[in-house]
Amino acid sequence: WKDIFFKLLEDISNTLEKDNQKLILILDELPIMLWDWYKAKRYDEAIELLDILRERRQELEQKGLRFIYCGSIGIKVILQTLRDELGYTGEPTNDMTEYNLKPFSIEESKFLMECYILSGFLIDDADKVKLLEKIHHFSNGLPFYIAKLFIIIQNEFDNKITSENIDRSYDLILNDPKYQSAFKQLKERLDTYYSKNAKLMIKVLSVIAKSTNEIKESEIISQIDDTDEDAKEILYALVEDHYLSRLTKEGERTYNFKYQIFKEWWRINIA
C-alpha cells in the first residue's frame, strides 16, 4: 500500500508542478495510527512510514504538495516512545513547524454561538451579550465545550438560554457522567501514552487542581513522594502536552491548568 500511496502522491505533485498549483494534504490523527501500530508490535512499519514520509515529503513539497500532521495527541509522544522503547534515532519532523490551536476569542465564540441560536434557541436580546460572554467564560473559548453547553441547554432546558440554565448546564458538564466522556480522556490518555509515569502525573495534576491559584514548583514537589528530577520531567511533559501552563514569578516556576474547565473537572472527579 505504501508504494501505491506514494505513487499517487507523486502523480498529484507532478500535476501541481505542471499547473503551478498547490495542494495541502492533511494527515489527521496520524499519531494515533502510529500508536495503534506500536501497540500491535508493528514497530518496523511505524518507523518506516515516518522515515519515508520525511524523505518523500521534502521532494513532493518542492512540487507544490504540502503536508499537515494533526491529531488529538502530539506526535512527540509517539516519537519519544519509539526512542525510549526501540532506540529510534530518526528525526522525521525536525524540518516541520509546530502549531497549536488556540481557544476562540470572544468574537469568534460569539459568532459560533449566534449560529447555534439560529437553530431554535431562545434568548432575551437585552441580555444576549452578557449571556454569550458567560458561555465563553465557562467554556474557556473551547469550541467543543461551547457546543456541549448548547447541547445540554437543548436537552435539559428546552432551548432556553438564561443565566440560571447556563450555570446548571456547566454544573452538569462537571458532575453528570453522561456529559463527561471527553473529560475522562484527560486521565485515560495518561494511562495509555504515559503508562510508566501516569500515577505520578495524576498525583501532580491533583495537587495543582486543589490549589486556588497557580502553585510554585517547590510546593508541588513537596506534596508528592518522588525525586525533584522526576517531578520536573513530569511537569515539563504536562506543559508540553497542554495539560498545564507555566509562568516564572520572582525566579521560580509556577504552574496551573491550562484551562479552568479542566481544572474544575479534575478537582471534582479525580483529585
Side-chain angles (χ1 to χ4, degrees):
W1 71 264
K2 289 185 285 291
D3 292 338
I4 296 173
F5 177 63
F6 284 106
K7 180 63 170 64
L8 174 62
L9 294 185
E10 187 175 342
D11 290 344
I12 292 172
S13 64
N14 288 336
T15 301
L16 293 171
E17 185 178 35
K18 178 182 177 182
D19 297 339
N20 193 29
Q21 295 180 333
K22 293 188 181 299
L23 180 69
I24 297 175
L25 178 63
I26 300 175
L27 302 180
D28 193 18
E29 298 296 4
L30 175 64
I32 285 183
M33 185 187 79
L34 293 170
W35 183 262
D36 288 342
W37 286 6
Y38 166 77
K39 296 298 286 184
K41 302 188 185 304
R42 296 168 62 182
Y43 309 131
D44 292 341
E45 290 181 74
I47 290 172
E48 180 187 18
L49 179 61
L50 283 168
D51 290 341
I52 293 177
L53 273 174
R54 188 186 194 285
E55 176 187 343
R56 300 303 301 276
R57 176 169 44 77
Q58 292 176 329
E59 172 190 340
L60 296 171
E61 286 188 342
Q62 293 176 2
K63 298 180 179 182
L65 183 61
R66 305 301 301 273
F67 288 75
I68 295 178
Y69 301 167
C70 56
S72 53
I73 62 169
I75 199 166
K76 290 180 179 179
V77 176
I78 310 303
L79 294 177
Q80 192 59 50
T81 300
L82 294 177
R83 292 183 181 116
D84 292 344
E85 301 293 330
L86 304 173
Y88 178 57
T89 58
E91 295 289 349
T93 60
N94 66 347
D95 62 334
M96 302 178 78
T97 302
E98 181 179 336
Y99 292 94
N100 298 312
L101 295 179
K102 297 180 180 180
F104 276 4
S105 66
I106 182 64
E107 291 78 15
E108 292 166 333
S109 292
K110 284 181 178 178
F111 176 80
L112 176 62
M113 289 185 276
E114 289 283 9
C115 293
Y116 286 139
I117 289 171
L118 293 174
S119 62
F121 286 89
L122 305 174
I123 187 169
D124 187 338
D125 285 340
D127 295 328
K128 180 186 281 189
V129 172
K130 289 195 300 183
L131 294 174
L132 297 190
E133 288 177 350
K134 186 170 189 174
I135 294 175
H136 171 79
H137 171 71
F138 278 156
S139 67
N140 298 160
L142 299 173
F144 178 86
Y145 289 101
I146 293 174
K148 205 73 171 177
L149 285 168
F150 271 83
I151 288 171
I152 295 174
I153 291 171
Q154 181 181 54
N155 293 343
E156 307 286 348
F157 305 111
D158 299 321
N159 288 6
K160 296 176 182 176
I161 304 174
T162 65
S163 183
E164 181 184 3
N165 287 347
I166 294 170
D167 287 335
R168 293 164 70 188
S169 298
Y170 185 65
D171 184 69
L172 285 172
I173 273 186
L174 297 177
N175 292 283
D176 191 328
K178 73 179 178 181
Y179 292 117
Q180 294 189 359
S181 58
F183 281 123
K184 290 177 181 177
Q185 293 179 15
L186 291 173
K187 181 177 179 297
E188 290 170 355
R189 69 199 302 273
L190 296 180
D191 295 327
T192 301
Y193 302 112
Y194 299 97
S195 56
K196 292 183 179 179
N197 296 313
K199 287 185 178 180
L200 181 57
M201 286 179 152
I202 291 168
K203 187 182 295 186
V204 166
L205 289 170
S206 295
V207 168
I208 297 171
K210 293 175 183 177
S211 67
T212 304
N213 301 307
E214 66 270 9
I215 182 171
K216 293 180 179 180
E217 184 176 277
S218 57
E219 293 180 29
I220 297 170
I221 294 173
S222 70
Q223 295 185 51
I224 61 174
D225 184 22
D226 216 292
T227 65
D228 287 10
E229 183 178 349
D230 287 344
K232 289 176 181 178
E233 288 181 0
I234 291 301
L235 285 165
Y236 183 85
L238 290 170
V239 170
E240 192 172 47
D241 209 13
H242 306 290
Y243 281 79
L244 301 177
S245 60
R246 184 179 71 185
L247 296 172
T248 301
K249 291 187 176 182
E250 299 178 353
E252 184 166 6
R253 291 183 289 268
T254 63
Y255 297 85
N256 207 343
F257 273 72
K258 189 170 184 177
Y259 300 112
Q260 184 66 24
I261 191 171
F262 292 168
K263 183 175 185 177
E264 288 293 314
W265 181 85
W266 195 278
R267 179 182 59 81
I268 292 169
N269 296 277
I270 306 296

